[in-house]
Amino acid sequence: MNMKRKLAILLAALMLLSAAACAEMPSDISEALFVAVKQAVVDMANGDFEQAACDLTFSEIGPAAEDLQTFASGFTMLSSDTVQSEICVAYWSNDGWMLAVPVMEPIDGEVETMVFSSLDGKTLSGCCLMLWSEVEAAYDISEYVLWNQEYIPAQLIIIADGTN
């Protein structure tokens, strides 16, 4: 085989590898999507399903307020007293992003989590209920994980003040 042919084969192989690597890269995810799903969880906890429907931008026709109310009724832990709006993790799963918002501080794996899917990183395509332990297992095996604010469990530290 002459040198030109070897070089052409090598270049073709490199182009194929580079194309394959690019094909597996997920789309960028919008910061606005993080904000929207967290706000929608708070709105649903407060019983404001109309506002929650307005917060969420779906690629197709989004759920109506009544649909979100039905969805929220499946959550036993969703409460305006305990809802959190800081923690949200996005992870790449198969061919889309999953944005997970635990409805309260995820102190254990049994905390219910609203999970929204996005195929393009800009609009939503669905939602479901998962347990925090299922979300942790999913993002642990994902190649791409983005935290809006990573959850770090608080630890109580007692400091003696020297008085009795």
Side-chain angles (χ1 to χ4, degrees), residues 29-44 51-57 83-90 98-102 114 116 118 121-124 146-149:
I29 189 162
S30 164
E31 179 68 25
L33 211 50
F34 276 103
V35 172
V37 297
K38 292 190 308 180
Q39 186 57 51
V41 171
V42 171
D43 291 338
M44 285 189 262
Q51 184 59 49
C54 290
D55 292 336
L56 302 172
T57 304
V83 69
Q84 71 82 32
S85 62
E86 295 179 15
I87 302 160
C88 181
V89 61
M98 305 299 281
L99 288 93
V101 183
M114 285 194 191
F116 299 87
S118 174
K122 295 171 185 57
T123 58
L124 299 173
L146 298 170
W147 287 89
N148 181 247
Q149 178 170 332

Side-chain angles (χ1 to χ4, degrees), residues 8-138:
I9 291 172
L10 179 61
L11 285 173
L14 287 173
M15 287 174 48
L16 285 173
L17 285 173
S18 138
C22 289
E24 294 178 18
M25 291 291 293
S27 59
D28 288 339
I29 189 162
S30 164
E31 179 68 25
L33 211 50
F34 276 103
V35 172
V37 297
K38 292 190 308 180
Q39 186 57 51
V41 171
V42 171
D43 291 338
M44 285 189 262
N46 290 323
D48 193 351
F49 301 103
E50 290 288 337
Q51 184 59 49
C54 290
D55 292 336
L56 302 172
T57 304
F58 279 79
S59 54
E60 301 291 324
I61 297 173
E66 297 79 26
D67 299 325
L68 290 177
Q69 186 171 8
T70 301
F71 173 60
S73 70
F75 289 79
T76 60
M77 297 177 172
L78 185 61
S79 163
S80 61
D81 295 331
T82 58
V83 69
Q84 71 82 32
S85 62
E86 295 179 15
I87 302 160
C88 181
V89 61
Y91 57 92
W92 185 257
S93 176
N94 298 325
D95 60 351
W97 286 105
M98 305 299 281
L99 288 93
V101 183
V103 299
M104 59 185 286
E105 182 182 358
I107 53 176
D108 63 44
E110 297 301 307
V111 171
E112 296 169 331
T113 306
M114 285 194 191
V115 180
F116 299 87
S117 57
S118 174
L119 298 175
D120 62 7
K122 295 171 185 57
T123 58
L124 299 173
S125 53
C127 55
C128 68
L129 183 156
M130 291 175 68
L131 296 177
W132 184 246
S133 59
E134 296 169 320
V135 170
E136 288 177 310

